């Protein structure tokens, strides 16, 4: 039995200066660990959040400095650390990257990797982003057995696709880590309701770590990072504009109790 533990969603205001972003991430991880966090989640593209056209130029490899730095932080602070997501050079495609999330264990082991499946392609009146022109979409879901439970991975725009979360739950997910750079416009309308819906539908904890700053000179992120329990209650929430640490207790006994008392997952009649 895994006893209750503290989880942290790290809210950042990443920009185009990688060194400043990494210093911010390292400082917030250390502070979260000092406050008792055992599971820490960074936001999407935390080392570089600039223009999508510049992702390839700022991409790294799997043995690059950023991921090694995150691995060492997991060891130093004895964490299960979701290293948000990072642009990784796409094999066999010199023009694209993969938007990859990694989970490290407290011994520095790579527990899982996940490449964002749903690229953010939208054309709203005041926001246009065509991620698929620069990012190669992933195709494989990921649930890993960690010292703190079964952790599933999703990234930002995946939140709009409930089938992702249902498949992850069928694969044993108890906690979903969700790094994001959800925009202010779409966030005001849909961020909370979608995150709570995914938690309720699948009776899981959702740790949604969002960006909160301005990137690509014009796109404002929504912030409001959240930790949500399997009943859909928002246990903790960040601000809309300030970086910070969002802490809440994860209790897998509570999850099991909710699934037992309201066994909706076993009542499904359609696949």
């Amino acid at each position: 039995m895994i006893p209750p533990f503290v989880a942290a969603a790290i809210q950042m205001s990443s920009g185009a200066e990688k060194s400043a972003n990494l210093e911010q991430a390292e400082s917030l991880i250390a502070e979260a660990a000092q406050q008792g966090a055992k599971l820490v989640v960074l936001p999407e593209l935390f080392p570089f959040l600039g223009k999508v056209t510049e992702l390839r130029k700022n991409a790294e490899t799997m043995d690059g400095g950023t991921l090694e730095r995150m691995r060492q932080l997991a060891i130093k602070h004895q964490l299960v650390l979701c290293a948000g997501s990072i642009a990784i050079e796409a094999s066999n495609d010199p023009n694209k990257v993969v938007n990859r999330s990694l989970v490290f264990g407290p011994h520095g082991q790579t527990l899982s990797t996940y490449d964002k499946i749903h690229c953010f392609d939208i054309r709203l009146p005041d926001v246009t982003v065509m991620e698929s022109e620069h990012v190669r979409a992933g195709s494989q879901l990921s649930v890993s057995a960690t010292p703190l439970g079964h952790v599933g991975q999703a990234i930002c725009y995946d939140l709009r696709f409930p089938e992702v979360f249902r498949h992850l739950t069928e694969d044993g997910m108890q906690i979903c880590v969700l790094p994001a750079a959800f925009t202010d416009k779409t966030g005001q309308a849909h961020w909370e309701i979608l995150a709570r819906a995914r938690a309720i539908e699948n009776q899981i904890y959702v740790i949604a770590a969002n960006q909160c700053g301005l990137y690509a000179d014009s796109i404002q992120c929504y912030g409001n990072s959240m930790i949500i329990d399997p009943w859909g209650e928002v246990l903790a929430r960040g601000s809309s504009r300030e970086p910070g640490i969002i802490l809440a207790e994860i209790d897998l006994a509570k999850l099991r109790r909710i699934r037992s008392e309201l066994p909706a997952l076993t009542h499904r009649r359609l696949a």
Side-chain angles (χ1 to χ4, degrees):
M1 298 288 286
I2 298 169
F5 61 89
V6 175
I10 302 294
Q11 182 162 293
M12 292 179 60
S13 179
S14 298
E17 188 177 340
K18 188 175 289 186
S19 61
N21 297 334
L22 292 176
E23 288 176 9
Q24 181 183 178
E26 185 165 350
S27 175
L28 290 168
I29 290 169
E31 185 178 345
Q34 289 170 4
Q35 295 185 48
K38 299 300 182 184
L39 170 60
V40 174
V41 184
L42 291 168
E44 183 180 17
L45 296 175
F46 75 95
F48 173 82
L49 189 62
K51 295 179 179 178
V52 69
T53 55
E54 297 177 353
L55 280 177
R56 186 64 175 81
K57 182 172 65 176
N58 288 276
E60 298 190 32
T61 61
M62 285 292 287
D63 57 358
T66 295
L67 290 179
E68 180 57 27
R69 194 166 175 176
M70 294 301 111
R71 186 189 309 278
Q72 293 304 318
L73 287 170
I75 296 170
K76 178 180 179 180
H77 299 295
Q78 289 293 284
L79 299 172
V80 174
L81 174 63
C82 173
S85 79
I86 178 173
I88 296 290
E89 295 175 4
S91 59
N92 303 320
D93 193 336
N95 299 313
K96 290 190 177 183
V97 302
V98 291
N99 188 347
R100 180 166 293 169
S101 179
L102 286 89
V103 176
F104 294 109
H107 301 295
Q109 71 274 38
T110 301
L111 297 175
S112 60
T113 65
Y114 167 69
D115 294 345
K116 185 178 182 181
I117 289 176
H118 296 98
C119 292
F120 187 49
D121 291 351
I122 64 162
R123 298 184 187 276
L124 297 175
D126 53 351
V127 179
T128 297
V129 180
M130 297 300 294
E131 189 176 22
S132 65
E133 293 179 358
H134 306 279
V135 176
R136 189 178 70 193
S139 59
Q140 300 294 319
L141 297 175
S142 173
V143 177
S144 59
T146 81
L148 301 175
H150 287 81
V151 173
Q153 294 172 264
I155 299 175
C156 199
Y157 193 46
D158 289 330
L159 186 60
R160 293 186 179 274
F161 300 88
E163 62 272 19
V164 168
F165 295 80
R166 182 48 52 91
H167 284 308
L168 289 170
T169 300
E170 290 173 343
D171 289 341
M173 177 174 64
Q174 298 167 306
I175 304 163
C176 183
V177 293
L178 181 77
F182 224 84
T183 70
D184 188 68
K185 184 177 182 66
T186 57
Q188 289 185 45
H190 301 143
W191 171 250
E192 179 179 336
I193 195 168
L194 287 173
R196 293 181 69 189
R198 301 294 88 88
I200 294 166
E201 291 164 345
N202 298 288
Q203 298 175 321
I204 57 170
Y205 283 93
V206 174
I207 305 173
N210 201 21
Q211 295 276 2
C212 65
L214 188 72
Y215 75 95
D217 302 323
S218 61
I219 300 174
Q220 178 66 53
C221 290
Y222 182 57
N224 286 276
S225 297
M226 294 181 292
I227 299 178
I228 305 166
D229 77 2
W231 195 248
E233 180 183 356
V234 178
L235 301 177
R237 179 197 298 270
S239 75
S240 60
R241 295 291 182 267
E242 296 297 324
I245 301 165
I246 294 85
L247 297 164
E249 183 181 83
I250 305 296
D251 184 356
L252 296 183
K254 179 180 181 179
L255 178 148
R256 289 190 293 272
R257 184 176 67 252
I258 288 171
R259 289 184 175 184
S260 174
E261 293 174 351
L262 180 59
L265 293 172
T266 68
H267 291 163
R268 295 172 58 221
R269 299 184 66 184
L270 298 175

